Amino acid sequence: MAAAGELRVSVVIPALNEEKSLPATLAAVAAQEPKAHEVIVVDAGSEDGTAEVARAHGARVVTSQRGRAWQMNAGAAAAEGDVLLFLHADTTLLPGSLAGVRQELSEPGSHGGCFQLRFDAEDQSLALRVWGACTRMWLFRTPRLVFGDRAIFVKRSTFKELEGFREWPLLEDLDFAMRLGRHGGACGFRF
């Protein structure tokens, strides 16, 4: 939990048949200091043990129709935090990530942002190495290259102003990042 006066971060994880990848993701969230205010796994009808794994790791499970946009909007509606962090079920946060989110969003004019990307298999794949490097280079720090696997975070008030994710089957994350970037100007979107 955040200390008095700190931003409360709600982690929203859309999931569908993610029982194998979810434990590492939830363990990385649980290891954060300070802790998340809450962790919400939004299940879209998994046929495996996704919901059970989420509950066993202390997450609240809500249900939604299939599709990340619908799932993330459902998670945001259920969340209580000041900040929403949308995390893919196969993505792990590095230590200090939530503290970094709180720090970035405490800056005047900051509305949201995302993380740089690293793949576990970067050593084995040139394509993954190049894509990961692009997300870490200042030249490519643009909302036009932000997809959900970079863990988009946003102030709840801004999320509401932008009316959440457009309920599209694809590229809802890119659309949201671009709208967020326009909303906050050059300083409003943090990488």
Side-chain angles (χ1 to χ4, degrees), residues 2-15:
E6 278 192 330
L7 293 171
R8 299 172 303 148
V9 179
S10 295
V11 178
V12 176
I13 304 172

Side-chain angles (χ1 to χ4, degrees), residues 10-27 29-30 36-46 48-65 67-68 70-80 85-91:
S10 295
V11 178
V12 176
I13 304 172
L16 178 64
N17 298 322
E18 297 284 359
E19 76 174 344
K20 290 188 170 124
S21 57
L22 204 50
T25 301
L26 292 170
V29 172
H37 176 70
E38 63 189 338
V39 179
I40 300 170
V41 173
V42 187
D43 187 42
S46 295
D48 63 2
T50 295
E52 293 78 14
V53 167
R55 286 187 191 99
H57 283 84
R60 182 164 43 129
V61 177
V62 298
T63 58
S64 168
Q65 73 180 67
R68 280 198 176 118
W70 289 270
Q71 289 172 267
M72 292 185 293
N73 285 338
E80 299 171 352
L85 186 147
F86 298 97
L87 185 65
H88 282 190
D90 61 354
T91 302

Side-chain angles (χ1 to χ4, degrees), residues 110-124:
S110 180
H111 298 279
C114 69
F115 291 93
Q116 296 174 357
L117 190 60
R118 293 189 191 278
F119 293 97
D120 292 338
E122 274 188 25
D123 296 343
Q124 302 162 17

